[in-house]
C-alpha cells in the first residue's frame, strides 16, 4: 500500500474554523463596524474619559528607568520568573505583614497574567491534588471553563448570581458548596466578580470561609481587579486575606493587566499558600515541571515594570493614586448611567448599576436586546449583557441610555 | 475534632475555624531539577572565581558577558513611551508574524502571497512547539511524534504534556560524532505512513550535527514517499552559518518538494531576546480557507493557556525587521555572533590538539551552531564540574557561546585532563 504521493493533501484538511472567542470576538466585530458612533463596551480594558487606552504614568517612568539602564540584559528568567516580582506580588495580595509570607509558606511563580496563573495552578492541581473537580460560580468569566478543562479538571458550577435581585444568590451558593464533595476545589473571585460585579459582603465571606474550611474545600482565588474595585488595594484583597489568616491552604492567581494597565505584557503571578515552608518548596519544584513544557520561563518586560513600581515607595504611592483615579472614574460612570436612565424614565429597576462593583455591569439585558443594541445603535458588548463601564464616558452615556431604553421598550 | 480528608481543626473562641490540618500537598515529591536550567542554578551558586558556564545556550561575548544587540537597544528606544500596552489579538502581532514568515519561507514566498500559512505568535520556541503539540493532539488524535535521539530534553516534556505518544528515530552516531544517516533513513522508511516527525532545521541541539544539503534532499524525498508530516524546530536561524537564508535551506528543500510542513521559530538566540519569549508557530495549509481554519484553532488553544501573547518582544522584532536599516544591522550582528562561535570552535580544537590529546576533536569544528557534543561521559562532566568548576549538561554538551579567548585554554586543559586516559 503506497503512501499518498499527492502532497497537496493536508493532514489537517478536516479542521473546521473555530467560532470567535465570545469576549475577544466582540472587539473583532467592533473593529469591522464603520459607524462613527460605535461604542465598544466589550472587553474589560480601561479607557479614559476621552475613550483612549491609558498607560499609567508610573509605568512610563518605570519603562524609562529600564530602557536607560545599560546594565539590563534580556537573559532568560528562571522558570519561576523574576524573584523580586514574585515576593512583591505575594506581599501585595496577602499583605506585607502576612504570617504565611513571614513563615515562608507561600510559593509564588510569575505567570502570563491571570489566564496563565489559572492554567498553571489548574495543571498543578490536576496532577497533585486528590480531587479533580473545580466548582466555578454561575456565571463566570467565559474563559474559566476552558482553562480548567484543558488543564485536566472537571468543571461544575455553584449558584452565584440571582437574576431576580441582580445580586448574590447567597442561599444557593451555600447550598451548592455545602453539597460539594469534601476536598473539591472552589474558584472564588477575590473582588469585582466578572461578569456580574456582585461581591459577597464581609460577613458573607466569613460564612463562606467557615463552610469551606469545615468541608475541606480548596479555595482558588482569581484576583484580576485588586485596587480597581473599591480603589483600595487592601480592601480589595480582604477576602483572600481572611482565608489565609485562618492558617489554611489556598491558591491565588493575580493579574496586573487592569490595575497596572499592563494588559498586553501578560504579567501575573500564581501563589500557593501551604501549611509549611518545606511543602511550599516541594510544590514550587513541581510548578516548574508544569511551566517548562509550556513556555520554559515567563516574559521579562512586564514583570520588570511591576517590580520597579512596587519596590519604590514613591512610585508605589503614585500608583495607588492613579489606580484610585481609574476606580473613581468608573464609579462616576455608574452614577451617570444610573441617573440618565432614571431621568429618561427607562422601565425597570437600575439600582444594580450602582450596587455592582468593578469594571463591569451585568445589565440584565438579554441576548436579543443586546443584538438589537448592536444592530441599531452600534453598541458592542458580550451577549450576556455585560458592559464594561471602563469603556463609557460622559460623552457616550446619552447614546447608551437611549439604546438601553429602546431595547427594553421594544425587544422582549 | 477530626473532619474528613485530613482536615483537623478546632473552633476558636471568636467562632472562626483554625485549621490545624495537615497539608494537602504532603505527598508532593520534590521534582528533579531541570537538567539544563539546573546547570546555571548550580553555576550561580558556585563561589569559585574561575568558574565557567558552558551550560545553557545563551550567547556570551568574548568577555563572557550577555549581549543585548544594538538593533534591539535602538528598537527599544523607539518603542519606550510611544505605544500603549493593549492586548494583542490571540494570534499575536500580525506585523511580527508576517516578518517572521518571510525569514522562514523566503521574502517572496508564494505560500505567503497565497495566504496558505496559518501562523500565530508564540512564547518563543517552547511555546510554539507546545501549541503545535496540543494542536496535533486535538486534530490528529491517533498520531505519534517521532523525536531524534538525542534532542533538546524539553521536547520530550512538551509532547508528553500534550499527551502525544512519542517514538524516537536514530540521529546521532556516537562513534563518528556525526550523523547516523543510514539508520535515520531506515527509521523514516519503517515508520508507518503519515507519521509526524520532529526535525531540527539547523544547528541540531544538543549535537551540532546537521544533515548535508544532499542528505536533506533524500530525507525530503523519503518523506514524500511515506507521506510523513515534517515539523521543524528552528531555534537557531542565522546562528548556524551566520546567514539566515542558508540556515533555512532544509525548510526550503521541503517546500520545493511540496511538503505542507509545520515550523516553530524562536528569536531567543538570533535576536538575543531570550527572556522576552518571542516566537512563531506556522502550519502550511492547502489554501487560504484551510489556513484561516487552522489559525482559528491554534488561537483556541492559546486562549485557555495565556489568552494572548506578550506585546513587548513582538514590538522589538517587528520594529527591527520592518526597518531596512535596523534589519541590516541585525543581520550584521547575527553574523558577528555566529563568527565568534565558529572562531571559538577552531580555538578549542587547536588547544586540545596542541595539548597532545590522544582523541580526535575534529567534530568540534565539523559540528555547527551553538553547541558541541563533546562525546564526554557524565562522569567526565562531573569531574569537570567538581574539579574545575566548569558547568555543562551531563550529556557532554558544551555551549560554545560560553567559550571565550579568556577561558578556552583553561577549558581545553580541563577537558584534556579528564579525557586523556579515556
Amino acid at each position: 500500500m503506497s503512501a499518498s504521493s499527492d502532497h497537496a493533501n493536508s493532514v489537517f484538511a478536516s479542521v473546521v474554523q473555530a467560532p470567535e472567542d465570545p469576549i475577544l470576538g466582540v472587539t473583532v466585530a467592533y473593529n469591522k463596524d464603520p459607524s462613527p458612533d460605535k461604542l465598544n463596551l466589550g472587553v474589560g480594558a480601561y479607557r479614559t474619559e476621552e475613550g483612549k487606552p491609558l498607560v499609567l504614568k508610573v509605568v512610563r517612568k518605570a519603562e524609562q528607568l529600564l530602557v536607560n539602564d545599560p546594565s539590563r540584559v534580556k537573559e532568560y528568567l528562571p522558570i519561576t520568573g523574576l524573584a523580586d516580582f514574585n515576593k512583591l506580588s505575594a506581599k501585595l495580595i496577602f499583605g506585607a505583614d502576612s504570617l504565611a509570607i513571614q513563615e515562608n509558606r507561600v510559593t509564588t511563580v510569575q505567570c502570563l497574567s491571570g489566564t496563565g496563573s489559572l492554567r498553571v495552578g489548574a495543571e498543578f492541581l490536576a496532577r497533585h491534588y486528590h480531587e479533580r473537580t473545580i466548582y466555578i460560580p454561575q456565571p463566570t468569566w467565559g474563559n474559566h471553563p476552558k482553562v480548567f478543562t484543558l488543564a485536566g479538571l472537571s468543571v461544575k458550577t455553584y449558584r452565584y448570581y440571582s437574576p431576580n435581585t441582580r445580586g448574590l444568590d447567597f442561599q444557593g451558593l451555600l447550598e451548592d458548596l455545602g453539597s460539594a464533595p469534601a476536598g473539591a476545589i472552589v474558584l472564588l473571585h477575590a473582588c469585582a466578580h466578572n461578569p456580574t460585579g456582585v461581591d459577597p459582603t464581609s460577613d458573607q465571606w466569613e460564612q463562606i470561609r467557615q463552610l469551606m474550611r469545615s468541608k475541606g474545600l480548596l479555595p482558588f482565588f482569581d484576583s484580576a481587579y485588586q485596587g480597581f474595585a473599591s480603589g483600595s488595594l487592601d480592601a480589595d484583597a480582604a477576602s483572600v486575606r481572611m482565608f489565609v489568616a485562618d492558617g489554611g491552604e489556598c491558591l491565588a492567581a493575580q493579574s496586573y493587566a487592569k490595575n497596572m494597565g499592563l494588559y498586553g505584557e501578560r504579567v501575573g503571578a500564581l501563589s500557593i499558600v501551604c501549611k509549611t515552608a518545606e511543602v511550599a518548596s516541594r510544590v514550587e519544584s513541581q510548578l516548574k515541571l508544569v511551566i517548562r513544557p509550556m513556555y520554559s520561563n515567563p516574559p521579562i518586560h512586564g514583570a520588570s515594570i511591576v517590580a520597579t513600581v512596587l519596590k519604590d515607595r514613591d512610585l508605589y504611592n503614585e500608583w495607588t493614586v492613579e489606580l484610585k483615579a481609574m476606580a473613581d472614574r468608573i464609579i462616576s460612570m455608574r452614577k451617570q448611567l444610573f441617573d440618565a436612565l432614571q431621568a429618561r424614565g427607562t422601565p425597570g429597576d437600575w439600582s444594580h448599576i450602582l450596587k455592582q462593583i468593578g469594571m463591569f455591569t451585568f445589565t440584565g439585558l438579554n441576548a436579543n436586546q443586546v443584538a438589537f443594541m448592536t444592530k441599531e445603535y452600534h453598541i458592542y458588548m458580550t451577549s450576556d449583557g455585560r458592559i464594561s463601564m471602563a469603556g463609557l464616558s460622559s460623552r457616550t452615556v446619552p447614546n447608551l441610555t437611549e439604546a438601553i431604553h429602546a431595547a427594553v421598550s421594544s425587544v422582549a | 475534632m477530626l473532619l474528613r480528608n485530613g482536615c483537623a481543626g478546632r473552633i476558636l473562641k471568636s467562632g472562626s475555624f483554625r485549621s490545624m490540618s495537615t497539608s494537602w500537598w504532603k505527598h508532593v515529591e520534590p521534582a528533579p531539577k531541570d537538567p539544563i536550567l539546573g546547570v546555571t542554578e548550580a553555576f550561580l551558586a558556585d563561589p569559585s572565581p574561575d568558574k565557567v558556564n558552558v551550560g545553557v545556550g545563551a550567547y556570551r561575548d568574548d568577555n563572557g558577558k550577555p549581549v543585548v544587540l544594538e538593533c534591539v537597544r535602538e528598537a527599544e528606544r523607539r518603542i519606550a513611551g510611544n505605544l500603549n500596552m493593549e492586548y494583542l489579538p490571540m494570534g499575536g502581532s500580525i506585523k511580527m508574524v508576517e516578518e517572521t514568515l518571510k525569514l522562514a519561507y523566503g521574502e517572496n514566498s508564494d505560500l505567503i502571497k497565497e495566504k496558505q500559512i496559518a501562523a500565530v505568535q508564540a512564547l518563543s520556541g517552547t511555546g510554539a512547539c507546545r501549541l503545535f503539540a496540543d494542536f496535533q493532539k486535538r486534530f490528529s488524535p491517533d498520531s505519534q511524534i517521532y523525536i531524534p535521539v538525542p534532542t533538546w530534553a524539553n521536547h520530550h516534556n512538551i509532547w508528553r504534556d500534550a499527551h502525544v505518544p512519542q517514538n524516537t528515530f536514530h540521529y546521532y552516531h556516537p562513534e563518528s560524532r556525526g550523523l547516523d544517516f543510514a539508520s535515520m533513513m531506515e527509521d523514516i522508511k519503517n515508520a508507518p505512513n503519515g507519521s509526524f516527525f520532529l526535525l531540527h532545521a539547523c544547528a541540531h541541539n544538543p549535537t551540532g550535527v546537521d544533515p548535508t544539503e544532499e542528505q536533506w534532499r533524500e530525507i525530503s524525498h523519503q518523506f514524500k514517499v511515506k507521506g510523513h508530516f515534517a515539523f521543524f524546530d528552528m531555534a537557531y536561524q542565522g546562528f548556524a552559518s551566520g546567514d539566515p537564508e542558508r540556515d533555512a535551506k532544509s525548510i526550503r528543500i521541503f517546500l520545493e518538494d511540496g511538503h505542507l510542513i509545520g515550523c516553530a521559530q524562536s528569536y531567543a538566540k538570533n535576536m538575543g531576546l531570550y527572556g522576552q519569549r518571542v516566537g512563531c508557530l506556522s502550519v502550511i495549509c492547502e489554501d487560504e480557507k484551510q489556513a484561516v481554519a487552522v489559525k482559528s484553532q491554534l488561537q483556541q488553544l492559546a486562549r485557555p493557556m495565556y489568552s494572548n501573547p506578550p506585546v513587548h518582544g513582538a514590538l522589538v522584532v517587528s520594529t527591527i525587521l520592518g526597518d531596512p536599516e535596523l534589519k541590516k544591522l541585525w543581520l550584521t550582528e547575527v553574523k558577528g555572533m555566529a563568527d565568534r562561535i565558529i572562531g571559538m570552535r577552531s580555538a578549542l580544537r587547536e588547544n586540545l590538539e596542541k595539548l597532545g590529546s590522544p582523541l580526535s576533536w575534529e567534530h568540534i569544528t565539523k559540528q555547527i551552531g551553538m553547541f558541541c557534543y563533546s562525546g564526554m561521559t557524565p562522569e567526565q562532566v562531573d569531574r569537570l564540574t567538581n574539579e574545575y568548576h566548569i558547568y555543562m549538561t551531563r550529556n557532554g554538551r558544551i555551549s560554545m557561546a560560553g567559550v571565550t579567548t579568556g577561558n578556552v585554554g583553561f577549558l581545553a586543559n580541563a577537558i584534556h585532563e579528564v579525557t586523556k586516559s579515556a
Side-chain angles (χ1 to χ4, degrees):
Chain A
M1 187 168 35
S2 76
S4 164
S5 52
D6 175 11
H7 258 315
N9 285 342
S10 167
V11 295
F12 302 120
S14 60
V15 170
V16 293
Q17 177 142 0
E20 282 289 354
D21 181 275
I23 303 171
L24 303 177
V26 170
T27 296
V28 172
Y30 168 86
N31 286 336
K32 290 200 183 113
D33 188 328
S35 162
D37 301 319
K38 62 182 181 177
L39 182 57
N40 188 357
L41 301 179
V43 77
Y46 184 79
R47 293 287 176 270
T48 62
E49 178 64 23
E50 294 72 41
K52 300 247 178 302
L54 176 67
V55 178
L56 302 186
K57 290 204 184 79
V58 285
V59 168
R60 288 281 183 233
K61 284 188 188 173
E63 264 194 315
Q64 280 305 317
L65 287 170
L66 293 172
V67 87
N68 290 329
D69 181 355
S71 73
R72 280 198 62 77
V73 292
K74 302 206 170 301
E75 296 290 284
Y76 291 124
L77 283 178
I79 299 174
T80 51
L82 192 59
D84 276 356
F85 167 85
N86 290 337
K87 289 200 177 60
L88 291 160
S89 294
K91 283 214 185 100
L92 185 65
I93 182 103
F94 299 123
D97 53 357
S98 162
L99 264 184
I101 293 181
Q102 286 169 29
E103 292 167 2
N104 286 320
R105 294 192 283 113
V106 181
T107 172
T108 305
V109 294
Q110 180 191 337
C111 294
L112 278 99
S113 209
T115 309
S117 305
L118 291 165
R119 177 63 178 268
V120 169
E123 295 253 349
F124 171 80
L125 292 173
R127 287 171 207 210
H128 297 286
Y129 190 57
H130 63 93
E131 261 291 330
R132 296 272 144 69
T133 308
I134 182 164
Y135 282 75
I136 65 179
Q138 182 83 285
T140 191
W141 180 46
N143 203 24
H144 275 142
K146 292 186 208 126
V147 171
F148 298 127
T149 306
L150 283 205
L153 298 176
S154 79
V155 174
K156 290 200 155 80
T157 58
Y158 61 91
R159 278 170 284 169
Y160 190 84
Y161 178 71
S162 166
N164 298 334
T165 61
R166 293 198 177 98
L168 184 65
D169 179 359
F170 192 48
Q171 268 316 110
L173 182 155
L174 290 176
E175 276 172 35
D176 288 349
L177 292 190
S179 55
I185 310 158
V186 179
L187 177 74
L188 301 164
H189 294 226
C191 70
H193 180 271
N194 177 2
T196 69
V198 168
D199 285 348
T201 63
S202 187
D203 286 340
Q204 287 171 330
W205 271 122
E206 173 58 19
Q207 283 185 69
I208 294 169
R209 187 194 63 77
Q210 285 187 30
L211 171 62
M212 285 184 61
R213 293 311 196 191
S214 72
K215 290 186 59 78
L217 301 176
L218 180 66
F220 194 158
F221 283 97
D222 185 355
S223 174
Y225 299 98
Q226 187 185 4
F228 227 98
S230 66
S232 157
L233 288 158
D234 290 324
D236 289 350
S239 60
V240 178
R241 296 181 189 181
M242 189 187 286
F243 276 74
V244 174
D246 70 15
E249 298 178 318
C250 67
L251 286 81
Q254 279 169 278
S255 165
Y256 289 96
K258 287 83 172 169
N259 63 9
M260 229 185 258
L262 291 173
Y263 306 95
E265 301 294 350
R266 317 313 292 128
V267 201
L270 169 73
S271 288
I272 303 189
V273 181
C274 307
K275 277 288 168 182
T276 67
E278 199 262 327
V279 168
S281 164
R282 282 186 274 131
V283 164
E284 182 178 283
S285 72
Q286 291 292 346
L287 287 172
K288 287 182 185 175
L289 294 195
V290 169
I291 293 168
R292 177 57 157 155
M294 214 185 266
Y295 49 85
S296 282
N297 39 68
I300 188 173
H301 188 74
S304 304
I305 292 175
V306 172
T308 302
V309 171
L310 294 184
K311 69 161 65 123
D312 178 297
R313 166 163 305 185
D314 292 334
L315 287 178
Y316 180 90
N317 289 337
E318 273 187 60
W319 174 48
T320 60
V321 170
E322 288 191 87
L323 187 48
K324 185 163 192 318
M326 288 196 285
D328 285 348
R329 194 182 90 68
I330 284 174
I331 289 167
S332 125
M333 285 301 105
R334 290 184 177 282
K335 184 135 202 339
Q336 283 190 34
L337 180 60
F338 174 78
D339 288 348
L341 287 165
Q342 295 290 96
R344 188 69 179 76
T346 304
D349 174 4
W350 298 98
S351 60
H352 55 286
I353 295 179
L354 296 177
K355 289 188 211 145
Q356 290 167 6
I357 191 170
M359 197 178 280
F360 302 110
T361 288
F362 217 42
T363 55
L365 296 161
N366 64 40
N368 290 333
Q369 290 164 335
V370 169
F372 169 85
M373 286 170 67
T374 304
K375 185 154 177 285
E376 303 300 327
Y377 289 83
H378 306 280
I379 293 177
Y380 289 80
M381 67 184 79
T382 46
S383 58
D384 56 4
R386 180 194 86 166
I387 53 174
S388 170
M389 302 309 288
L392 261 187
S393 69
S394 315
R395 196 183 49 83
T396 51
V397 162
N399 192 35
L400 178 61
T401 306
E402 273 315 302
I404 293 176
H405 188 90
V408 293
S409 308
S410 60
V411 182
Chain B
M1 165 163 70
L2 184 71
L3 296 154
R4 277 191 282 170
N5 290 336
C7 183
R10 57 192 170 86
I11 306 288
L12 298 174
K13 268 201 210 128
S14 61
S16 63
F17 181 80
R18 177 104 208 150
S19 168
M20 300 184 311
S21 60
T22 51
S23 170
W24 289 120
W25 318 117
K26 252 175 46 159
H27 60 286
V28 171
E29 296 286 322
K33 282 203 180 295
D34 184 276
I36 303 171
L37 304 177
V39 170
T40 293
E41 276 183 36
F43 168 81
L44 289 170
D46 185 331
S48 162
D50 303 318
K51 59 184 181 177
V52 174
N53 187 356
V54 284
V56 77
Y59 183 77
R60 295 285 178 270
D61 65 14
D62 200 45
N63 295 314
K65 298 271 175 285
V67 170
V68 178
L69 301 187
E70 262 316 301
C71 60
V72 169
R73 290 245 186 255
E74 176 54 30
E76 290 210 303
R77 279 190 282 269
R78 295 185 195 180
I79 292 166
N82 280 330
L83 296 153
N84 61 51
M85 284 148 173
E86 293 291 283
Y87 291 124
L88 282 176
M90 279 183 283
S93 158
I94 292 178
K95 193 151 171 261
M96 192 277 274
V97 168
E98 271 172 15
E99 292 296 334
T100 304
L101 294 182
K102 284 190 208 158
L103 276 182
Y105 302 116
E107 286 276 336
N108 300 309
S109 159
D110 281 333
L111 295 168
I112 297 179
K113 290 201 187 90
E114 300 299 316
K115 303 200 167 122
Q116 276 176 254
I117 309 179
V120 295
Q121 179 185 338
L123 293 159
S124 211
T126 308
C129 286
R130 175 59 178 269
L131 262 191
F132 181 77
D134 281 351
F135 177 79
Q136 180 186 351
K137 178 65 187 174
R138 187 172 273 191
F139 293 100
S140 288
D142 300 326
S143 68
Q144 307 189 338
I145 186 81
Y146 281 77
I147 295 184
V149 178
T151 194
W152 179 49
N154 204 28
H155 279 142
H156 293 291
N157 300 332
I158 291 168
W159 268 269
R160 178 205 62 218
D161 275 16
H163 309 291
V164 174
Q166 301 177 29
N167 278 308
T168 56
F169 63 93
H170 286 85
Y171 190 83
Y172 180 67
H173 191 241
E175 292 74 25
S176 64
R177 295 190 176 90
L179 184 65
D180 188 352
F181 189 58
S183 303
M184 179 180 176
M185 293 303 286
E186 269 304 294
D187 288 345
I188 292 171
K189 284 184 190 130
N190 293 332
N193 295 343
S195 294
F196 283 64
F197 276 76
L198 169 69
L199 302 169
H200 296 224
C202 66
H204 180 272
N205 176 2
T207 68
V209 169
D210 285 348
T212 62
E213 197 177 309
E214 300 74 54
Q215 288 172 329
W216 273 122
R217 291 194 191 284
E218 279 192 58
I219 295 167
S220 173
H221 173 75
Q222 197 54 232
F223 266 56
K224 256 169 93 151
V225 168
K226 297 288 296 181
H228 289 332
F229 182 94
F231 183 74
F232 283 93
D233 185 357
M234 183 156 66
Y236 298 97
Q237 188 183 11
F239 236 98
S241 67
D243 175 5
E245 280 295 295
R246 224 173 108 189
D247 289 347
K249 191 67 186 169
S250 58
I251 289 178
R252 308 289 171 85
I253 287 170
F254 270 66
L255 294 185
E256 277 164 32
D257 283 353
H259 290 287
L260 299 173
I261 66 168
C263 182
Q265 287 168 269
S266 166
Y267 286 102
K269 286 83 169 170
N270 63 12
M271 223 180 257
L273 294 177
Y274 307 95
Q276 306 286 353
R277 320 309 295 125
V278 202
C280 177
L281 167 66
S282 52
V283 178
I284 303 191
C285 303
E286 291 172 78
D287 53 41
E288 183 178 355
K289 180 155 174 266
Q290 209 178 82
V292 168
V294 167
K295 180 180 168 177
S296 73
Q297 295 292 351
L298 291 174
Q299 290 177 174
Q300 289 276 308
L301 290 162
R303 175 56 158 157
M305 204 186 283
Y306 49 83
S307 283
N308 36 70
V311 63
H312 186 77
L315 268 180
V316 171
V317 172
S318 57
T319 301
I320 292 171
L321 296 184
D323 177 321
E325 286 302 309
L326 280 182
K327 184 169 179 180
K328 234 171 81 180
L329 175 56
W330 172 57
L331 290 170
T332 309
E333 293 189 275
V334 166
K335 185 163 193 318
M337 291 194 283
D339 284 348
R340 193 184 89 67
I341 286 175
I342 290 166
M344 285 300 103
R345 287 182 178 278
S346 297
L348 182 59
R349 178 181 164 183
E350 274 167 35
N351 270 274
L352 282 161
E353 286 167 355
K354 276 209 197 88
L355 286 165
S357 170
L359 307 169
S360 163
W361 297 100
E362 197 191 24
H363 54 287
I364 296 181
T365 47
K366 274 179 78 176
Q367 290 165 5
I368 190 169
M370 199 177 278
F371 302 111
C372 164
Y373 221 42
S374 61
M376 286 187 288
T377 64
E379 294 71 34
Q380 288 168 335
V381 170
D382 288 343
R383 278 192 64 195
L384 282 180
T385 306
N386 297 330
E387 295 172 36
Y388 296 90
H389 305 276
I390 294 171
Y391 290 81
M392 67 179 72
T393 47
R394 291 185 86 233
N395 55 10
R397 182 192 85 165
I398 301 174
S399 172
M400 295 307 298
V403 181
T404 66
T405 48
N407 65 25
V408 67
F410 175 71
L411 181 60
N413 182 60
I415 292 175
H416 177 59
E417 286 301 314
V418 307
T419 57
K420 62 187 179 185
S421 48

